[in-house]
Amino acid sequence: MNETIRNLLAKVGGLPVAADGLADEADLYAAGLSSFASVQLMLGLEEAFDIEFPDSLLNRKSFASIAAIEKTVATILSSQKAA
Amino acid sequence: MNAHVKTPVASVSERIARAAAVAARYADDVDQKGRFPAEAMQALKDERLMGVQIPVELGGEDTPIAEIAELCSILGQACGSTAMIFAMHHIKLSSLVEHGMGAEWHRGFMRRIADEQLLLGSATTEGGIGGNLRNSICAIEVEGDICRLEKEATVISYGVQSDAILITSRAHKDAASSDQVMTVFLKDQYTLEKTHGWDTLGMRGTCSEGFLFKGEAPAEQIIPEPFAEIAAHSMLAMAHLLWSALWYGIAVDAVHRAQAFVRAAARKSPGQTPPGALRLAEISGKLQMIKTDIIHGVRQYEEIRRNPESLTMGFLIAMNNTKLSTSTAIIDIVGQTLLINGIMGFKNDTPFSVGRHLRDAYSAQLQISNERILMNQSTMLLVNKQDMSLLG
Ligand SMILES: Cc1cc2nc3c(=O)[nH]c(=O)nc-3n(C[C@H](O)[C@H](O)[C@H](O)COP(=O)(O)OP(=O)(O)OC[C@H]3O[C@@H](n4cnc5c(N)ncnc54)[C@H](O)[C@@H]3O)c2cc1C
């Protein structure tokens, strides 16, 4: 999952720095993730993992770092499995 | 200063009524001359209304957002420019109240605002960036405990009259354009070199001239939280709600004037419904719609203030929607009042004049371009599923 996220980030994140060089915990907003790019990233994640983000998870915190994204995606995946 | 100054024993509604009466008296002169509404702003200070939003422990009155929106609406009925200045001041103040309570310098500054009734200005717009306020070109430079900033601030309302300016920039010289901070600079900590005038269609009294801003201040005056958080948690909502409230006020006054016109016609020919009455009935419904929308927005924001964790994209979309619909609806409403009042509304010197209202109303869709907001909305709606429940 980590790698898929990193690939998407490199493709649509529009960051001025290379996504490879980012630590899992690095603050993506400080790295230059714009709100437009974050939406593109969400769309990419929905496609890649066949999920839909509920509004309750569409907040800055859910996408603040690679680790946070992993957690957000995992939460949705497990709730989809449960359903 | 008036006798009732220091200890405001009168209710907020009595105080705003007195200040609004002053604003109404000078509204046409302010508009014609494109001058700062000095009398009305002094009245607002005399009535101690500049600091009401500040918590009681720091000398304010803890006035809820809903009431501040009402104050903006009442002022909007008197003078659009005064209302806009008052609203923008309170929008800036909200950044301190919501995000500066944990910082010693900002707490002290809030005490001063309440005590001295200081006026806060705003500099987010930048040459080369325009209204895309979540991006900056300029960067704040921190050296030891001093910070310095130079910004091509192409629009600062009442820049000359402000006692302090809250200004956005990148967080440091290597920061990405969206990695921003907001800093408070006091009047004696900056210079403003005028670069653009403000001879406009409407909102002429806001004196929103352009300047080259150069400031130097202790670095502790930088608001500790990232501007992204400030924008999402309080500024966007406060701006769209308080602006909408005062725009609503502008429309209300135009409708009052149309109502007076129709009533006068009805009295002259009893038994007949005057032609304008039908239009009046139509805009009464539109006015009610924006009122309901604003109040609903205020309730949503109050919920976010109580529970910041519940902030989602859906909230931002809702705030944007309120701004978009209010700013377009008022042009329609005020335009209809012109049709009702006819030539008496078109003239600038009758009790039924609505020219100033219409011109002021046209600023609403530009103050943060609706085109830009719609574009952001369309992006967010690619992932957000709007809450379609009636009660949600
Ligand atoms: C009464 C008033 C008071 C103001 N006071 C202040 C103040 O005190 N401080 C401050 O910082 N700013 C202030 N502003 C500026 C305001 O916040 C906006 O920044 C400004 O109005 C935007 O300028 P602009 O019309 O050039 O739009 P910009 O956002 O710069 O856009 C330029 C043009 O491109 C179009 N456009 C932009 N983005 C898009 C998009 N994504 N899609 C399609 N079209 C787009 C717009 O329609 C516009 O015509 C004030 C504005 C007004 C009207």
Side-chain angles (χ1 to χ4, degrees):
Chain A
M1 185 190 302
N2 189 290
E3 200 185 317
T4 316
I5 295 171
R6 283 177 180 277
N7 286 342
L8 275 170
L9 204 52
K11 210 166 96 194
V12 299
L15 302 182
V17 296
D20 301 346
L22 287 171
D24 282 351
E25 304 290 340
D27 181 340
L28 295 179
Y29 299 112
L33 184 69
S34 70
S35 30
F36 179 79
S38 67
V39 170
Q40 302 307 316
L41 184 63
M42 292 170 201
L43 288 169
L45 291 165
E46 290 194 338
E47 178 72 15
F49 296 103
D50 194 22
I51 52 173
E52 273 197 17
F53 291 105
D55 186 51
S56 59
L57 290 177
L58 292 181
N59 53 41
R60 285 175 55 81
K61 237 173 54 197
S62 304
F63 299 88
S65 66
I66 293 171
I69 297 174
E70 275 190 276
K71 209 174 123 211
T72 305
V73 172
T75 308
I76 298 172
L77 283 173
S78 66
S79 73
Q80 281 186 352
K81 236 179 253 155
Chain B
M1 283 217 229
N2 303 342
H4 55 259
V5 170
K6 275 288 171 181
T7 42
V9 280
S11 71
V12 170
S13 52
E14 285 172 60
R15 286 146 64 196
I16 194 68
R18 283 193 294 253
V22 177
R25 198 174 315 138
Y26 293 97
D28 286 328
D29 189 63
V30 162
D31 175 55
Q32 274 161 23
K33 299 189 177 130
R35 69 166 178 87
F36 182 72
E39 302 85 351
M41 292 313 298
Q42 188 57 50
L44 287 164
K45 289 184 176 192
D46 290 348
E47 297 291 353
R48 313 284 301 165
L49 289 164
M50 305 304 284
V52 286
Q53 190 188 160
I54 296 170
V56 174
E57 57 172 304
L58 299 178
E61 298 174 42
D62 247 332
T63 302
I65 303 306
E67 269 184 55
I68 294 172
E70 177 78 315
L71 301 183
C72 292
S73 161
I74 291 168
L75 283 177
Q77 294 169 49
C79 168
S81 290
T82 303
M84 179 51 78
I85 296 171
F86 185 74
M88 289 181 56
H89 164 81
H90 274 286
I91 294 160
K92 289 298 109 181
L93 188 48
S94 75
S95 297
L96 298 172
V97 171
E98 302 299 325
H99 309 278
M101 286 301 284
E104 209 34 60
W105 189 88
H106 298 92
R107 291 175 67 89
F109 183 49
M110 279 185 265
R111 258 189 218 104
R112 272 194 65 194
I113 296 169
D115 189 35
E116 301 168 38
Q117 296 290 294
L118 301 179
L119 174 63
L120 307 181
S122 165
T124 57
T125 306
E126 182 174 14
I129 294 261
N132 187 4
L133 91 167
R134 283 289 291 101
N135 275 278
S136 289
I137 296 174
C138 67
I140 197 150
E141 208 183 293
V142 181
E143 206 183 297
D145 48 15
I146 293 292
C147 68
R148 281 184 207 91
L149 178 63
E150 199 172 308
K151 178 167 183 167
E152 245 186 84
T154 44
V155 194
I156 308 183
S157 294
Y158 52 94
V160 174
Q161 290 83 8
S162 299
D163 297 308
I165 291 178
L166 276 68
I167 185 164
T168 52
S169 65
R170 287 187 292 126
H172 51 89
K173 75 176 184 0
D174 301 316
S177 64
S178 58
D179 180 11
Q180 298 162 290
V181 288
M182 185 152 75
T183 307
V184 183
F185 284 92
L186 307 176
K187 201 177 190 70
D188 59 3
Q189 295 171 331
Y190 59 79
T191 58
L192 294 175
E193 189 184 311
K194 186 170 155 183
T195 52
H196 302 76
W198 185 255
D199 181 3
T200 49
L201 180 69
M203 285 294 178
R204 295 170 54 80
T206 60
C207 302
S208 310
E209 297 170 330
F211 303 94
L212 176 63
F213 173 101
K214 287 184 190 168
E216 183 177 312
E220 61 180 340
Q221 291 178 211
I222 301 173
I223 301 179
E225 256 184 273
F227 179 63
E229 294 293 333
I230 300 175
H233 272 273
S234 59
M235 204 178 99
L236 179 106
M238 279 296 277
H240 289 179
L241 295 171
L242 295 193
W243 288 344
S244 292
L246 81 93
W247 294 332
Y248 169 75
I250 291 172
V252 164
D253 191 52
V255 171
H256 276 152
R257 289 174 186 223
Q259 213 159 30
F261 185 84
V262 171
R263 284 215 188 104
R267 277 195 294 265
K268 273 193 201 110
S269 45
Q272 279 175 5
T273 304
L278 203 67
R279 287 274 162 263
L280 197 58
E282 197 184 356
I283 55 179
S284 144
K286 291 181 176 164
L287 205 57
Q288 181 177 327
M289 266 171 68
I290 52 177
K291 169 175 165 162
T292 315
D293 191 11
I294 296 167
I295 290 310
H296 178 62
V298 168
R299 298 280 171 260
Q300 278 179 294
Y301 177 49
E302 282 170 347
E303 178 56 37
I304 296 288
R305 283 185 83 195
R306 273 191 298 272
N307 179 14
E309 290 296 307
S310 66
L311 181 116
T312 64
M313 203 182 261
F315 171 69
L316 303 178
I317 291 175
M319 294 297 112
N320 282 339
N321 274 336
T322 298
K323 190 273 177 179
L324 289 169
S325 44
T326 311
S327 61
T328 40
I330 59 159
I331 295 173
D332 180 26
I333 295 171
V334 181
Q336 298 276 8
T337 66
L338 180 59
L339 211 55
I340 295 169
N341 297 5
I343 206 76
M344 295 300 275
F346 198 57
K347 287 184 175 184
N348 284 328
D349 54 359
T350 83
F352 310 110
S353 307
V354 289
R356 170 168 54 82
H357 304 70
L358 191 57
R359 288 183 291 100
D360 284 350
Y362 268 107
S363 72
Q365 47 182 345
L366 309 183
Q367 191 159 8
I368 308 298
S369 165
N370 278 9
E371 295 291 280
R372 188 185 282 290
I373 296 176
L374 263 179
M375 190 66 107
N376 291 344
Q377 293 288 83
S378 59
T379 305
M380 289 192 281
L381 283 163
L382 292 175
V383 287
N384 175 264
K385 284 154 288 292
Q386 191 163 347
D387 183 354
M388 301 293 184
S389 67
L390 197 52
L391 300 179

